[in-house]
Amino acid sequence: MKHIYIETYGCQMNFADSEIVASLLQKEGYEVVSDINDADYVLINTCAIRDNAEQRIRKRLRELRAVQQRHPQLRIGILGCMAERLQSQLMVEEENVSFVVGPDAYRQLPSILARVSEQGVKAAETELSTTETYADIEPVRLGSNGISAYISIMRGCQNYCAYCVVPYTRGRERSRDPETIVAEARSLFEQGYKEVTLLGQNVNSYRWKTEGEEVGFPELMARVAEISPMLRVRFATSHPKDLSDSLLEVMAKYDNICKCIHLPVQSGSDRILKLMNRHYDSAWYLDRIAAIRRYMPDCSITTDVIAGFCTETEEEHQMTLEMFRKVRYDYAYMFKFSMRPNTYAEKHLQDDIPEAEKTRRLEEIIALQGQIALENNRREVGKIYEVLVEGESHRSKERLFGRNSQNKVIVFDRHDVMPGQYVKVKVVDCTAATLLGELCTQ
Ligand code: 5AD
Ligand code: SF4
């Protein structure tokens, strides 16, 4: 039997893909191992979103040379977005890479692995597909806590944001058959899972059309939520341009649909949003925030933001800070702009904000967000939440952690509670990142 070791970088979608890869290879008799020293193949599922994501992979490849010296039979393959972006060039640049496989070519992995070992050749398969959704593959849950799992509901993206490499690395948008999604969620629930997160680059464009049937994202959410009130349903990511009221209605209707929306804003300036090709302005975005609050006053809102996009002025940066003050996000992923090959920005704009200036702007956003998150959390003190317990706190075995519907982490004394249980917890204190609670006895 051949052994594979999988390492995953990047977004949740990549983690979901690695579980599909594990499943495809297990069916062909490969075994997934958790110690790299037991492996015949190392598969690295990569991200290309920012230059530093790629540099990290290259550094990892240098480290792996030592492992290869100890195990000369070991073959290294690159999967995912960096594989798709660089294709066979990657094997020229990185000598210890034997194969490169893009996100739509994973079904070919068994034959590629065999070819690489038996014929001692290098191989690259990076063709993108307009139809591949891996709908029939039941993912092997890797590193799972047995409580929450990802379900990929669509692939690809064709929004073409000016900064973004994803349309080039993941291809055209395509949705997966809703029957297979609901079946996967149901099977997870039957295995004891308590939470599923439906994944897509832009879930609001989810659409399944066959004769006589059209299923959009709100309806899909409702179908998954109907499986059981004991199964929590989350999703990521929504594009502000098409966050619909009908989705908000469905979210408000079902208690088990978690009250948490990730709505990447990217910038607070209308000129920059236009340059980014985001198809909304700040007024539209704030209208969507108001709609979320109208339907679900207790919904948490999180975002992504980019500091120092091409030509961004100090005033426009201040508009981003102003947006943060208006929305008061519960959490934000904050990035410095990184110019990516082939994007609209690379072809038509200049990366003209000096690195030090990008850093300063990013740090200002981070500082402001830290303050807002702490203030938001302080308002939670005294409230009681239903918490899905996920495991032991990293700091102490005597404490457990879990999340409320808003996706906030709450830590509390364990008593006789077990991971996987729903419990009521009263918030008694907080930091900017965590709520501290006490278990309610009744
Ligand atoms: N530079 C910096 N951040 C980027 N993102 C996407 N492309 C880039 C880039 N070139 C950010 C966006 C997106 C998140 C996943 O990554 O904020 O929402
Ligand atoms: Fe995910 Fe985008 Fe990174 Fe690809 S490039 S792994 S889609 S974040």
Side-chain angles (χ1 to χ4, degrees):
M1 189 184 275
K2 294 275 190 184
H3 301 100
I4 53 170
Y5 178 85
I6 307 180
E7 248 175 50
T8 309
Y9 297 82
C11 64
Q12 294 162 330
M13 195 74 87
N14 254 20
F15 284 81
D17 277 3
S18 288
E19 298 184 336
I20 288 169
V21 165
S23 171
L24 281 163
L25 285 167
Q26 267 190 9
K27 267 197 216 117
E28 298 296 324
Y30 293 84
E31 189 189 345
V32 180
V33 294
S34 54
D35 183 344
I36 198 165
N37 291 301
D38 298 333
D40 303 293
Y41 304 92
V42 177
L43 307 181
I44 310 182
N45 198 353
T46 60
C47 174
I49 197 106
R50 283 167 292 273
D51 185 57
N52 58 12
E54 291 197 3
Q55 294 314 323
R56 197 168 157 210
I57 303 296
R58 292 190 189 267
K59 180 161 169 268
R60 181 68 182 135
L61 284 170
R62 288 195 291 277
E63 287 167 11
L64 287 177
R65 284 189 202 147
V67 186
Q68 279 180 306
Q69 256 167 9
R70 292 199 302 271
H71 305 278
Q73 293 312 312
L74 188 69
R75 295 284 171 269
I76 298 177
I78 300 290
L79 316 181
C81 291
M82 198 176 165
E84 190 61 45
R85 194 179 84 68
L86 293 163
Q87 310 199 345
S88 53
Q89 184 195 332
L90 189 54
M91 295 186 295
V92 179
E93 291 171 8
E94 304 288 343
E95 276 177 39
N96 56 341
V97 172
S98 298
F99 54 102
V100 168
V101 185
D104 286 345
Y106 295 149
R107 285 185 203 268
Q108 296 180 53
L109 271 166
S111 74
I112 292 170
L113 262 51
R115 230 186 316 150
V116 163
S117 294
E118 286 156 22
Q119 300 166 17
V121 293
K122 291 198 170 197
E125 287 295 345
T126 51
E127 190 149 353
L128 288 172
S129 154
T130 54
T131 53
E132 179 64 271
T133 59
Y134 302 109
D136 57 318
I137 309 294
E138 191 174 340
V140 172
R141 307 292 163 184
L142 298 169
S144 162
N145 58 5
I147 297 163
S148 49
Y150 296 131
I151 301 180
S152 166
I153 64 161
M154 58 196 294
R155 302 182 70 80
C157 178
Q158 55 211 49
N159 286 320
Y160 292 98
C161 299
Y163 48 79
C164 191
V165 78
V166 173
Y168 310 95
T169 62
R170 286 187 165 268
R172 307 291 289 173
E173 194 175 279
R174 65 218 96 124
S175 296
R176 174 177 164 191
D177 182 342
E179 298 286 327
T180 68
I181 298 169
V182 175
E184 186 175 330
R186 184 171 289 121
S187 150
L188 284 164
F189 183 65
E190 282 161 4
Q191 291 165 52
Y193 283 80
K194 298 285 165 44
E195 180 176 89
V196 293
T197 302
L198 308 189
L199 293 180
Q201 303 294 346
N202 176 11
V203 289
N204 270 82
S205 348
Y206 175 87
R207 195 153 300 282
W208 178 259
K209 259 194 203 152
T210 51
E211 262 172 64
E213 193 193 24
E214 184 168 340
V215 181
F217 187 61
E219 169 154 13
L220 176 70
M221 282 294 280
R223 285 198 196 173
V224 177
E226 293 277 349
I227 292 173
S228 164
M230 298 301 284
L231 180 69
R232 279 185 173 183
V233 189
R234 299 186 185 278
F235 63 95
T237 295
S238 299
H239 193 303
K241 76 174 158 69
D242 35 33
L243 177 70
S244 65
D245 280 28
S246 48
L247 174 63
L248 300 177
E249 246 167 62
V250 168
M251 287 183 74
K253 181 174 161 196
Y254 290 92
D255 281 345
N256 57 326
I257 299 185
C258 291
K259 304 297 177 275
C260 173
I261 296 189
H262 185 61
L263 202 65
V265 68
Q266 312 301 2
S267 167
S269 146
D270 292 345
R271 189 188 72 90
I272 293 291
L273 287 171
K274 196 160 185 13
L275 207 55
M276 286 175 162
N277 194 33
R278 292 288 289 172
H279 298 284
Y280 58 85
D281 59 12
S282 54
W284 170 273
Y285 186 88
L286 287 168
D287 170 75
R288 294 293 76 205
I289 298 291
I292 296 171
R293 300 239 148 98
R294 209 164 46 239
Y295 281 98
M296 297 167 286
D298 63 340
C299 191
S300 68
I301 302 176
T302 62
T303 203
D304 294 346
V305 70
I306 299 177
F309 184 65
C310 309
T311 74
E312 183 190 70
T313 63
E314 175 60 27
E315 202 188 348
E316 288 162 341
H317 162 62
Q318 292 298 329
M319 291 173 179
T320 296
L321 294 174
E322 196 47 37
M323 180 63 93
F324 271 59
R325 285 188 202 102
K326 281 188 182 142
V327 180
R328 302 188 57 80
Y329 296 107
D330 293 287
Y331 189 83
Y333 297 90
M334 299 163 276
F335 310 105
K336 275 192 267 189
F337 172 63
S338 164
M339 185 65 100
R340 306 308 291 132
N342 285 326
T343 56
Y344 177 91
E346 198 238 3
K347 286 182 188 148
H348 303 282
L349 304 172
Q350 274 210 334
D351 189 7
D352 57 352
I353 311 300
E355 190 58 26
E357 181 60 21
K358 283 184 190 167
T359 304
R360 199 213 87 218
R361 291 181 192 177
L362 176 66
E363 280 171 358
E364 264 181 39
I365 302 172
I366 292 173
L368 173 62
Q369 179 51 33
Q371 204 183 318
I372 291 169
L374 181 60
E375 287 166 11
N376 285 356
N377 276 355
R378 283 203 181 121
R379 288 201 198 119
E380 304 288 358
V381 173
K383 293 188 190 163
I384 293 174
Y385 283 110
E386 184 170 63
V387 169
L388 172 58
V389 185
E390 289 180 29
E392 273 172 12
S393 145
H394 305 300
R395 297 232 180 104
S396 156
K397 282 196 158 82
E398 300 308 307
R399 317 203 82 197
L400 294 175
F401 82 95
R403 282 166 214 269
N404 63 7
S405 171
Q406 288 73 7
N407 209 26
K408 290 200 174 175
V409 173
I410 306 188
V411 177
F412 59 96
D413 283 343
R414 73 179 312 156
H415 301 278
D416 51 4
V417 172
M418 298 297 286
Q421 266 177 267
Y422 287 104
V423 290
K424 288 260 186 326
V425 177
K426 180 174 181 180
V427 180
V428 293
D429 200 357
C430 70
T431 66
T434 315
L435 301 176
L436 306 171
E438 277 168 8
L439 195 64
C440 299
T441 38
Q442 330 139 354

